Structure formats: C-alpha cells, structure tokens
Amino acid sequence: MSFSDNLLRDKYGFKKPFQWIDIKKLRQLEHEYDDICRHQQQKWDQLLLEHDQQWPPMSSRVKKYIRKGIPSCYRGDAWMHYSGAKAKMDAHPGMYETLLETALTMGHHNEHAEVIERDLHRTFPDNTHFMCARTDADGHVHMEPDTNPKLVSLKHILYAFSVHSPEIGYCQSLNYLVGIFLMMTRTDEEAFWLLVTLVHDYCPENMYDVTMEGSTIEQMILMDIVYEKMPGIWNKLANGKCFWECEQADAMPPITLVTNHWFLTLFVNILPIETVLRIWDCFFVQVSRVIVTSKCSYCFLVFTIA
C-alpha cells in the first residue's frame, strides 16, 4: 500500500472506520495496540525458540498466548497446526489440485459454479486485495473478478470445496471465510484445508448445507443461554414470553435472523477485523465455546448500549 493508503486502511487492506471514531483517537488506539502486538511478538518468538521453531504442544501457557492474540506473521501457520488442517493436508497430498481440476473440467455443469462466480466481486469489494471494479471511458463500472489473483484463488477454492463436499456444495458466507483464510495463509491449498477443517470439524453438522439445520440449532442454544444468563436482554427480545413458549411455538425472537449471520460468517463483516481474528485465534483452540461466548458478549453489549 502507498503511504496515503496506509493512513486510510489497516494492514489487512480494509478501510479504517473513520465514520465511527475520531481520527485522533483512532491513531492513539492504533499506537497503543501496536505496542501490545510488539510485546506479544517477542513472547511468541521466545516460545518458538524454546521449541526449536516447532509449534509447541497445547498447554496453559500456549492457550494464554493465543487468548492474547497470535502475531500476524504466525497466525496462518498456527491455525493450520492447531486446527489439524496441516495434518489433513499432509495426509492428502495433491488432493486439492485434483479436486480443482475436476471442478474446472465440469465447468458450469457444476450446479454451484454460477452462484460462486456471482459472489466473487461481492467478497470484501472495498478491500485492496479483493477489488475488481473497473471504470470505462463512459464512466460505467464493470466488475472483473478474473483480473484479481485473490478472487481467482477464491473461486478455485470454492470450486474445489463444492466437489470435495457435494452435500454442501456452496453456501453464501463461505466466500468470506475463505477470503480471510487467503489473507492469512501462503497458498490456496492451505486456505482450502482450513475451510474443510472449519466446516467439517468445528462447525455443527448441516451448518452450511441446504437445510442449515445446524445453524438453526445453534440459534436455539444461543437464545436458551441468553434466556438463562441474561434475563434482562431476553425480556427485550421476547416481549414477555419465556424461552419454552417461543420454542414450542417455533417462533424464536426476530433477532435470530441477525444472529444467524454471526454464526455463518463467524463475525466477519460484523465486528472489526482485528477482533474477528482474535476470536478465530481462540476458536481454533477452544472450538464452539468461544463462538457462543462471543455472541453472548456481543448481545450484552448491543442491548446494554441500546
């Protein structure tokens, strides 16, 4: 990024939220957070040094470091290792390339290809790594995803996944997950195996298939926790009804239409990118408890402010 871009965008290529926070205050927060990140980097450097540059086994110390944030330079490799995605990739050499070749040969005979291609230019359109808009001489804007290497990688990974997991194929929101993986990993293959691991090992069954049954169950669990642990917020959501009345009537509070998106994207486009990454750091170690806890915390903040 140029110097001017660096002032307007974060290190991931997203626009900084100047519309929500005073520029001077944002600069101060960035300066303070940079100091924290440097301190964390030193701790991780020492940790890896003590283990001959190998990822250490899980321990209370490693969990503590992960909860405080994995440095950007280590994040992709740490996700790969601790999630088990690296082990899957090593156990299936060449599988990604084979799946991609099959998907490309199928072309539009793949029922998901058209939807995948339609979503490419909608994936982080304001991010410097994913932009594909071109303005012609007449001032008309054209979206050309095939001109952007990151979007080509995104398409290839989603194509390969649709062949690998035909019971899912493609679900909107997977494009955002892969977009984040592409920012954190070195290769398309690594991003692909992170997606496979996330969907099949970390998320509930049927979370991303056509039924989305897993997502529905997660909504009910979240609402039950809010009902039990945050009665004040539940009363705002349910208009005096108890959880069991809503469950029996198959009528959860309307906010589940919003929280469903939280589950499917794991907070992408909901929370600031740095917060999302910190949650994902913990998610790949402590699994779903992190996501449910994060959603409850977010509910509390939203309705306390409201």
Side-chain angles (χ1 to χ4, degrees):
M1 289 189 291
S2 67
F3 178 74
S4 59
D5 283 340
N6 190 51
L7 292 176
L8 299 175
R9 295 179 180 273
D10 61 29
K11 61 184 177 182
Y12 306 107
F14 292 101
K15 289 182 178 179
K16 294 180 180 178
F18 292 128
Q19 72 273 36
W20 307 117
I21 187 171
D22 176 73
I23 295 178
K24 186 176 180 181
K25 184 173 290 187
L26 181 60
R27 296 269 187 263
Q28 181 182 351
L29 288 171
E30 288 176 339
H31 179 71
E32 293 173 357
Y33 190 65
D34 285 344
D35 288 341
I36 293 172
C37 289
R38 278 190 291 271
H39 183 63
Q40 284 300 107
Q41 174 85 47
Q42 292 169 0
K43 288 191 171 186
W44 278 89
D45 289 344
Q46 180 61 35
L47 179 67
L48 290 172
L49 183 63
E50 293 172 9
H51 290 83
D52 298 321
Q53 301 305 316
Q54 301 297 313
W55 292 106
M58 194 52 60
S59 65
S60 58
R61 180 186 178 192
V62 173
K63 286 184 179 180
K64 178 182 177 182
Y65 283 10
I66 289 174
R67 284 195 294 269
K68 291 188 175 182
I70 302 172
S72 295
C73 61
Y74 294 139
R75 180 168 275 132
D77 289 337
W79 288 358
M80 287 291 293
H81 175 78
Y82 290 114
S83 70
K86 178 71 161 58
K88 286 183 187 292
M89 185 174 72
D90 292 344
H92 300 90
M95 178 180 280
Y96 170 68
E97 289 77 8
T98 301
L99 291 168
L100 176 57
E101 184 178 351
T102 300
L104 292 174
T105 301
M106 290 172 65
H108 281 83
H109 291 293
N110 180 343
E111 62 179 305
H112 305 287
E114 184 179 349
V115 183
I116 289 171
E117 292 181 9
R118 201 162 56 224
D119 275 354
L120 293 177
H121 73 273
R122 300 169 181 166
T123 307
F124 306 134
D126 291 330
N127 184 287
T128 53
H129 302 296
F130 291 88
M131 288 178 174
C132 67
R134 179 184 64 84
T135 305
D136 63 22
D138 296 325
H140 299 125
V141 178
H142 302 272
M143 296 298 176
E144 300 179 346
D146 286 337
T147 65
N148 184 312
K150 272 281 192 284
L151 290 179
V152 172
S153 293
L154 175 64
K155 177 173 71 173
H156 286 173
I157 292 166
L158 293 173
Y159 270 13
F161 182 80
S162 71
V163 175
H164 176 275
S165 304
E167 72 281 8
I168 296 173
Y170 173 69
C171 173
Q172 288 180 324
S173 72
L174 293 180
N175 54 321
Y176 294 114
L177 302 179
V178 175
I180 297 295
F181 290 146
L182 282 170
M183 292 184 201
M184 299 299 132
T185 57
R186 287 183 293 270
T187 68
D188 294 2
E189 185 179 21
E190 289 181 343
F192 168 78
W193 284 109
L194 275 172
L195 177 65
V196 170
T197 302
L198 172 67
V199 171
H200 290 290
D201 295 353
Y202 280 73
C203 291
E205 191 176 358
N206 305 124
M207 180 87 160
Y208 293 100
D209 69 5
V210 68
T211 69
M212 289 193 174
E213 183 180 336
S215 179
T216 301
I217 293 172
E218 289 289 281
Q219 301 305 310
M220 292 183 66
I221 293 172
L222 174 62
M223 291 297 103
D224 188 24
I225 292 173
V226 172
Y227 172 67
E228 293 285 345
K229 304 297 184 181
M230 304 176 181
I233 291 176
W234 174 263
N235 290 333
K236 287 186 177 182
L237 297 176
N239 295 320
K241 295 181 180 178
C242 77
F243 171 80
W244 302 109
E245 287 180 281
C246 294
E247 194 273 336
Q248 289 172 6
D250 195 20
M252 285 290 124
I255 195 175
T256 54
L257 298 173
V258 176
T259 57
N260 183 53
H261 187 59
W262 301 357
F263 278 96
L264 293 175
T265 64
L266 303 184
F267 289 117
V268 175
N269 290 337
I270 304 297
L271 296 175
I273 181 61
E274 197 67 45
T275 306
V276 171
L277 295 174
R278 293 283 295 274
I279 291 173
W280 284 27
D281 288 345
C282 298
F283 179 62
F284 284 120
V285 177
Q286 296 173 289
V287 202
S288 58
R289 182 166 68 88
V290 171
I291 297 301
V292 172
T293 302
S294 299
K295 286 177 173 63
C296 288
S297 300
Y298 191 50
C299 273
F300 179 77
L301 288 172
V302 167
F303 285 95
T304 299
I305 293 171

